[in-house]
Amino acid sequence: MRGMADDFDLNALLRTHGHRATGPRRAVWDALASSDSHLTAEEVTSRVHNLDAGADRASVYRSLVLFADLGIARETSLGADAHATRWEVAHPDDHFHLICRKCGAVEHHAGDLVDQVRVHLAGDEHGFTAETIDLSVTGTCRRCAAAS
Amino acid sequence: MRGMADDFDLNALLRTHGHRATGPRRAVWDALASSDSHLTAEEVTSRVHNLDAGADRASVYRSLVLFADLGIARETSLGADAHATRWEVAHPDDHFHLICRKCGAVEHHAGDLVDQVRVHLAGDEHGFTAETIDLSVTGTCRRCAAAS
DNA sequence: CTCCTTGCAAACCGTTTGCAATCGA
DNA sequence: TCGATTGCAAACGGTTTGCAAGGAG
């Protein structure tokens, strides 16, 4: 899942855009990029604290928003359950989420499904140029279906 | 968009499930069912106040949750923008949302797209039994694309 | 040396909850 | 009557903000 965006030069990106490369920002990025799951701001903060115990919630929030502006992170809407926003590294390739109602697991899937949706929307029927496609599905995963 | 679920017998449904038919609940349902868009709880409340000025926020929230339990309403996750939960009448047929970044319009679309997704997920590749499919797409609608 | 960033703490705001009064069945 | 439901008001919890001290360039 990870393995492409986690080792690029964050410092350079920040400076290119007129921002400063700071400890808290690096720590927030590490937290996000080293996780395979979608983290709440609180989870990011607790991971950040492993590197920098003094880092503040506020800086975490500010960093997350900054990263979103830079296009390297994004908020995800994982169904309606989550009452705290979750964040993930913005992968260049689209993917979607399968959320199992039984075991709570969240699977990420890349694949052409999202691309098919994009093509479908671009057709005559809709004429809609899709930018962000957010496909969250809740249901029962194979394993839980087999178990019941 | 509406025109099928807004004139059913809410009172009967409530009583069938052991709940009481009350003014606030009818007002909340009217507010939801008479709107073509997705409303925040606050928007529902203000609409409710047209019928019953004394109705309280708390009752609106409680009614919305109740309706969701009964399967006649549901929370929608409209992209990541919305920082207040939005509600809509739960249509029996799946549909998806196209949110235009330029003009802000939210189009609802029923159609087989969502069904295609469901079938795809049920296949061998995923083995996932989809319950709720939440497909929100942000981008540029036909009209705005033509205008630019 | 500048002024962007941070940590701190307080404010915000959507949502939830405890409780006594009220109302539907 | 009796308990579900309501309005009220206070609590909650995630997120945002003002501000002075600190740190990157």
Side-chain angles (χ1 to χ4, degrees):
Chain A
M1 197 70 225
R2 206 58 357 79
M4 174 222 136
D6 51 350
D7 56 346
F8 80 114
D9 194 341
L10 177 68
N11 293 352
L13 178 69
L14 286 169
R15 283 193 280 258
T16 297
H17 288 264
H19 302 288
R20 293 181 180 175
T22 69
R25 282 170 181 169
R26 277 187 294 270
V28 169
W29 180 253
D30 282 354
L32 253 199
S34 67
S35 166
D36 270 345
S37 53
H38 299 179
L39 304 176
T40 61
E42 194 194 354
E43 290 165 342
V44 172
T45 304
S46 95
R47 281 159 180 261
V48 162
H49 281 171
N50 294 338
L51 298 174
D52 177 354
D56 193 77
R57 295 189 291 282
S59 300
V60 172
Y61 281 105
R62 287 187 278 230
S63 298
L64 288 172
V65 170
L66 174 61
F67 293 166
D69 286 345
L70 293 175
I72 59 175
R74 70 179 194 119
E75 292 186 60
T76 64
S77 52
L78 284 187
D81 340 296
H83 270 277
T85 309
R86 291 182 169 273
W87 296 83
E88 68 177 350
V89 171
H91 295 282
D93 36 290
D94 287 313
H95 64 290
F96 57 95
H97 305 124
L98 300 180
I99 304 143
C100 180
R101 198 151 257 169
K102 297 252 173 70
C103 64
V106 178
E107 299 176 39
H108 303 225
H109 280 286
D112 41 31
L113 176 57
V114 174
D115 255 350
Q116 287 172 24
V117 171
R118 186 187 306 278
V119 170
H120 177 92
L121 294 177
D124 280 350
E125 191 184 339
H126 300 291
F128 193 92
T129 307
E131 206 168 297
T132 305
I133 296 184
D134 224 313
L135 176 56
S136 305
V137 182
T138 59
T140 312
C141 72
R142 194 199 304 270
R143 196 149 35 93
C144 288
S148 69
Chain B
M1 196 70 227
R2 206 61 357 79
M4 174 221 137
D6 52 349
D7 56 347
F8 80 114
D9 194 340
L10 177 68
N11 294 352
L13 178 69
L14 287 168
R15 283 193 280 259
T16 298
H17 288 265
H19 302 288
R20 293 183 179 173
T22 68
R25 282 171 182 167
R26 278 187 293 269
V28 169
W29 180 253
D30 281 354
L32 253 199
S34 68
S35 166
D36 270 345
S37 54
H38 299 180
L39 304 176
T40 62
E42 193 194 353
E43 290 166 343
V44 172
T45 304
S46 96
R47 281 160 180 261
V48 163
H49 281 173
N50 295 338
L51 298 175
D52 176 356
D56 194 77
R57 295 189 292 281
S59 301
V60 171
Y61 281 105
R62 288 187 277 230
S63 299
L64 289 171
V65 171
L66 174 62
F67 293 166
D69 287 345
L70 293 175
I72 59 176
R74 71 181 194 118
E75 292 186 59
T76 64
S77 51
L78 284 187
D81 342 296
H83 270 278
T85 310
R86 291 181 169 273
W87 296 83
E88 68 176 349
V89 171
H91 295 280
D93 36 290
D94 287 313
H95 65 290
F96 56 95
H97 304 125
L98 300 180
I99 305 143
C100 180
R101 197 152 260 169
K102 298 252 173 70
C103 64
V106 178
E107 298 176 39
H108 303 227
H109 280 285
D112 42 29
L113 176 57
V114 175
D115 255 350
Q116 287 172 23
V117 171
R118 187 187 304 279
V119 169
H120 177 93
L121 294 176
D124 281 350
E125 191 185 340
H126 300 292
F128 194 93
T129 308
E131 205 168 296
T132 305
I133 297 184
D134 225 312
L135 176 56
S136 305
V137 182
T138 59
T140 311
C141 72
R142 194 199 304 270
R143 196 149 36 92
C144 288
S148 67

